[in-house]
Each structure stands twice: as C-alpha cells, then as structure tokens.
Amino acid sequence: MSTTLIQNGTIVTSAKTFAADIFIENGRIKEIASGLPAENAGKIIDAGGMLILPGGIDVHTHLDMPFGGTTSSDDFETGTKAAAFGGTTSIIDFAIQPKGTRMRDALDTWWKKAENKASIDYGLHMIVTDMPEADLADMDDMVNEGVASFKLFMAYPGVLMVDDATIFRALGQTAKNGALVCMHAENGNVIDLIVQRTLAAGKRAPIYHALTRPTLAEAEAVHRAIALAEMSGAPIYIVHLSSEDALNQVREARDRGLPAFAETCPQYLLLSIEELERPNFEGAKYVFTPPLREKHNLEKLWGGLRDDHLQVVSTDHCPFCFQDQKALGKDDFTKIPNGGPGIENRLQLIHHHGVNQGRISLNRFVELVSTTPAKLFGLYPRKGEVAVGSDADLVIWNPHELHTISAETHHMRVDYSMFEGFEVKGNAKTVLSRGEVIVEHGHFVGRTGRGEYLRRKARGGAWS
Ligand code: URP
Ligand code: ZN
Ligand code: ZN
C-alpha cells in the first residue's frame, strides 16, 4: 500500500481556501484535516508556504495530430510531460474520424497513439466529420467507451466542416445520450470566399490569415450553433472563443438560461493581431484559428471569465515547429499549419495575469483551469477537486516563484514559444498524479506510459 502525507500547505479549491494536511492512500485522497499524524505515511511532503491545487485539466489539446500535410510536433509522450511540468495532470485530446469512416476506427487509432506514451491521464473527444442518419448510434457507442463529447467544425470546408443538418443531427443525438457537442464556430464558407479573393489579389503573408477571418464570422457561427442546440434541446460548448462579438452571443444565450458554455485560451487573453505582422515570416508562429484579434477584445474576454460568461480556459495546444512546419506556408498563408503551443504555460499565465493582476480570485482560477473542465466533461469529482475520494492529482504551487517563459527552457517539442520572454510569478513546484510524484523541483520523475485512459461519463440531466 502506498501512502503519502502532504503537510503544512494551503488547499485552494474552486469554493474555498484553507490550511490542512492531505493523506493519500493508493492514489486517492483518504483524509483532509489539520495535524494528521506522520507515522502512518510512507512519504512526507512539506508544502509549507505553498498552495495545493487540484491538478490542471486541459480539455483542448492536439497531440500527434495530422493537419495540413504535417503532424503536430508533440506526441503523447512529449506533450503530456510538458503538461505535467506546468501543473496539468489530465488532458482531453481529439480523435479525428476521417470522412467516410466509422468513429470506432478513429478511437482505436488514438488509443494506440496514447497508450505506452502518456505520463498523465487522458480522455478523448471525437471529431465528427461525417454523420449519416444511419450511423447515429455510433455516437452512443462512443459514449459507452467514455467519449462523452464530440467536436464539430463549422470551418475548414472540404476538410473538417460539416453542414448544419449534420450538426443538427449530432446535437439531437447528444440530447438523448447526454454527451456534449464542442463547436469550432466560424463561418467556413464565407471565410473561404474571402480567402480566395485575398489570394487572387496576391496577398500571401501570415497577417492575411487573421484579416480573412472577421470576428463577425465567428459571432455568426456561435449564434447559429447555439440556435441549433436550442432547437435540439441539447447543451453546447463553444471552443477557443476569441472575440467580444462571439462572447456577446454566449452571454445572451446564458442570460436566457440556455445551457451554452464556452472556453477561451491564454493566447486570446494575452496576445493580439499585431503578432502576425512580425518580420521574417515570424508572424506564422501565431497562425491558428480563430486568429488573434484586435487588442480591445482581450479585456472583454477577461471580463467574461470573471462574470462566468466563459467557464473554462484550455490551451488548444497544437504545436508546429517554425523551421520546418510553419515554413510550409512561406509563400501562401493558407498553407501554414494552423495551431500554436501552450500546454505547459496555461496555469502560469492565468495565475499571473488573472490572479496576480487582480482580474480573478484564486478560487476562480482553480474553477477555470480544473474544476469546471472536470464537471463539464464527465470527470468530476474524480478529477478537478481536492476532496476525500478524489484522485490525488495535486499541484503544489509556489505562488512566489519567478519564471521567464522561453523556448530555451520549455519542455514542449517545438522550437518557439508564443509567450517568449513573458515573466510570471507562480509556478508548479511538485506535481502528483494519482498520488505519484511526477514532477519535482523542475525534473520529471514520473514514467512514460503511466497515464491512464479516462472513461468519462456523459452528463445528461441538468446542464445550467
Ligand atoms: O488553429 C487551430 N486552432 N488548430 C487546431 C485545430 C482547431 O481548430 O482547434
Ligand atoms: Zn477548432
Ligand atoms: Zn483545437
């Protein structure tokens, strides 16, 4: 029997902050109380002066993902290790159903990508590219395998985009089976037309990626997605929301009491469209969809997080190396693989720019990066909580540590950082996954392949 006692720390949950010790037995939290005896513990960790948070849950990552003729540069080995360094102990990645195939095959493919590689626990969403009426029961089959959420694309026509009837069909099925549809909401057909006209005018630099994807194309799709969900009686979760226009649509729906949820990502909170104008093609480092927006959007998104119009911060981690992958689009912005790295820096950035800058409380920080992701995606209370019976996925967080984010020191397998030179105060000191220390004082001490597949529960019932 393995046992660990964490002493002298301050526990921070989404609901409260309090001093207590934590006794862990066989990977789970057995007891939380002050002054727990040390003699029963096989291992003792002194968390004096530290905060103890539930492990971060990143519900939007793309490891080992084929895209635009290449593959995201982190696989489940490098990506989950980098996540652990940053205090993330669970991820939910995306399996992709290639058009004309069954989702079961995609699930097998992604299980193979992850098994023996992941060092933290992982779940999978399924990206639906094809959903004929006759195959609708396949969605229930996925739910039975613990895939309690599906991503659909309203963008990327001819590749990932599905039509409104397919979206409506899928939403109808989730209204019955309790799963959650995650929507990439941008009006793909209109964007495609703007892109074709822009290319025809000889405009090929990275900045045109952003200029061809207006915020109204995002807001229109968010509105449509919510309307289709409302007609279906299903909840909806908008992924990587990037603009005030889109946020207004979610707020309006929530004000009407609809089960509409949305996430944003650190890049949309901290970076703006100017990054795409960097010289020497370096703007390509910031090419992802939706694109970075005008600066005035940033504070609106922080306000959305504070006021619960946005419920989750994920990363949309989808790294491509600048030298040999982003370079595919040197002469044509449409050929730049879309995506950016961030799995390692989410907690550091949101703690520093959110909590330290007085935009959100510590408890709200925990809620955004761990507890609500667990609740929405069928992992709660096993994950996302510091409570008796929960997995001992814990981050011993040093709120005073100064850290400079840099590609020189990060652990993601990518040759740049979107946040190069950002100075943050607050960092993960020790990270436990199911009671096992996996990161200690800047070293990975876990084991490749120890991560377990998370069979998530479809939530169903009350969503609001
Ligand atoms: O540009 C992005 N976001 N790449 C990853 C795929 C997606 O749409 O989330
Ligand atoms: Zn997307
Ligand atoms: Zn994504």
Side-chain angles (χ1 to χ4, degrees):
M1 183 167 62
S2 113
T3 54
T4 301
L5 177 67
I6 305 177
Q7 290 181 316
N8 307 320
T10 299
I11 298 172
V12 184
T13 72
S14 61
K16 55 187 177 170
T17 304
F18 58 106
D21 300 340
I22 301 176
F23 188 76
I24 300 164
E25 191 177 277
N26 293 334
R28 294 222 172 146
I29 297 174
K30 180 89 188 296
E31 208 177 343
I32 301 174
S34 294
L36 288 175
E39 53 268 24
N40 304 331
K43 180 180 172 74
I44 295 175
I45 298 174
D46 180 8
M50 303 288 132
L51 305 177
I52 305 173
L53 321 174
I57 302 175
D58 191 345
V59 297
H60 192 150
T61 68
H62 300 278
L63 302 176
D64 200 357
M65 185 187 85
F67 188 97
T70 184
T71 303
S72 58
S73 57
D74 267 319
D75 63 12
F76 278 82
E77 180 171 349
T78 59
T80 57
K81 268 185 201 156
F85 274 103
T88 287
T89 53
S90 302
I91 58 166
I92 309 183
D93 206 87
F94 292 86
I96 307 178
Q97 171 209 23
K99 260 190 205 314
T101 69
R102 305 298 279 267
M103 292 189 282
R104 162 68 50 179
D105 299 330
L107 183 59
D108 286 341
T109 302
W110 255 264
W111 274 341
K112 285 202 188 86
K113 283 176 190 267
E115 71 182 2
N116 304 322
K117 285 200 164 184
S119 53
I120 60 172
D121 294 348
Y122 58 95
L124 291 169
H125 314 274
M126 180 61 65
I127 292 177
V128 179
T129 57
D130 215 358
M131 185 40 63
E133 194 80 15
D135 292 349
L136 271 174
D138 285 6
M139 292 181 79
D140 305 344
D141 180 34
M142 289 298 103
V143 171
N144 290 334
E145 294 291 2
V147 179
S149 43
F150 300 87
K151 182 175 179 185
L152 280 78
F153 282 79
M154 301 169 99
Y156 300 122
V159 188
L160 296 166
M161 190 171 115
V162 288
D163 61 15
D164 288 353
T166 302
I167 294 170
F168 187 62
R169 214 180 275 130
L171 281 163
Q173 201 68 11
T174 60
K176 289 188 259 178
N177 66 25
L180 183 59
V181 166
C182 304
M183 194 64 78
H184 179 126
E186 289 185 298
N187 187 319
N189 285 328
V190 168
I191 288 169
D192 214 35
L193 179 61
I194 302 172
V195 165
Q196 293 319 318
R197 287 177 176 166
T198 302
L199 286 175
K203 297 172 176 169
R204 292 175 167 254
I207 184 64
Y208 292 105
H209 172 76
L211 297 178
T212 52
R213 307 183 92 89
T215 56
L216 284 178
E218 183 182 26
E220 182 280 326
V222 169
H223 181 89
R224 187 159 31 105
I226 292 172
L228 293 170
E230 186 175 3
M231 282 190 263
S232 311
I236 184 98
Y237 179 90
I238 308 296
V239 293
H240 46 45
L241 187 139
S242 68
S243 66
E244 179 186 7
D245 287 336
L247 175 64
N248 288 341
Q249 299 300 323
V250 176
R251 188 182 47 233
E252 188 271 338
R254 290 179 63 79
D255 285 350
R256 288 197 292 119
L258 292 177
F261 307 95
E263 64 175 24
T264 190
C265 313
Q267 53 271 34
Y268 301 118
L269 294 160
L270 298 169
L271 304 173
S272 55
I273 188 168
E274 293 77 20
E275 304 290 357
L276 285 98
E277 288 176 313
R278 286 182 181 232
N280 304 321
F281 188 62
E282 293 213 18
K285 294 176 177 176
Y286 302 88
V287 167
F288 40 78
T289 51
L292 292 175
R293 304 301 193 182
E294 305 283 338
K295 273 206 176 75
H296 67 87
N297 290 278
L298 278 55
E299 217 46 59
K300 299 290 178 189
L301 296 180
W302 280 110
L305 291 175
R306 184 192 57 231
D307 298 337
D308 202 35
H309 308 312
L310 299 169
Q311 293 72 42
V312 171
V313 178
S314 67
T315 61
D316 194 8
H317 176 76
C318 188
F320 296 102
C321 290
F322 179 64
Q323 288 302 337
D324 57 348
Q325 294 186 292
K326 292 285 186 180
L328 293 168
K330 197 112 186 79
D331 304 317
D332 176 350
F333 69 92
T334 65
K335 304 225 161 43
I336 301 169
N338 287 193
I343 202 168
E344 188 167 347
N345 306 123
R346 182 178 62 124
L347 270 63
Q348 296 160 350
L349 290 166
I350 302 305
H351 176 267
H352 183 79
H353 291 276
V355 180
N356 293 351
Q357 313 282 322
R359 290 177 168 119
I360 53 172
S361 69
L362 253 183
N363 307 96
R364 181 63 178 158
F365 163 63
V366 167
E367 193 166 37
L368 291 166
V369 301
S370 179
T371 310
T372 302
K375 286 182 176 169
L376 286 176
F377 289 95
L379 294 171
Y380 191 83
R382 179 178 166 195
K383 308 284 190 189
E385 189 57 280
V386 183
V388 171
S390 294
D391 280 0
D393 288 6
L394 299 167
V395 181
I396 302 182
W397 184 262
N398 181 350
H400 307 294
E401 185 185 322
L402 299 173
H403 176 71
T404 304
I405 295 174
S406 174
E408 303 274 301
T409 50
H410 73 200
H411 303 86
M412 299 177 285
R413 190 162 63 187
V414 61
D415 57 0
Y416 75 96
S417 169
M418 292 200 288
F419 305 101
E420 185 69 38
F422 273 51
E423 292 179 357
V424 290
K425 189 163 122 181
N427 204 359
K429 178 169 179 265
T430 307
V431 180
L432 292 89
S433 164
R434 282 179 280 105
E436 214 180 294
V437 175
I438 57 170
V439 170
E440 196 159 31
H441 304 299
H443 295 285
F444 181 75
V445 293
R447 189 174 47 80
T448 299
R450 63 169 295 288
E452 289 178 0
Y453 173 66
L454 293 167
R455 286 185 175 272
R456 298 178 294 119
K457 296 183 290 263
R459 179 162 153 168
W463 280 92
S464 299

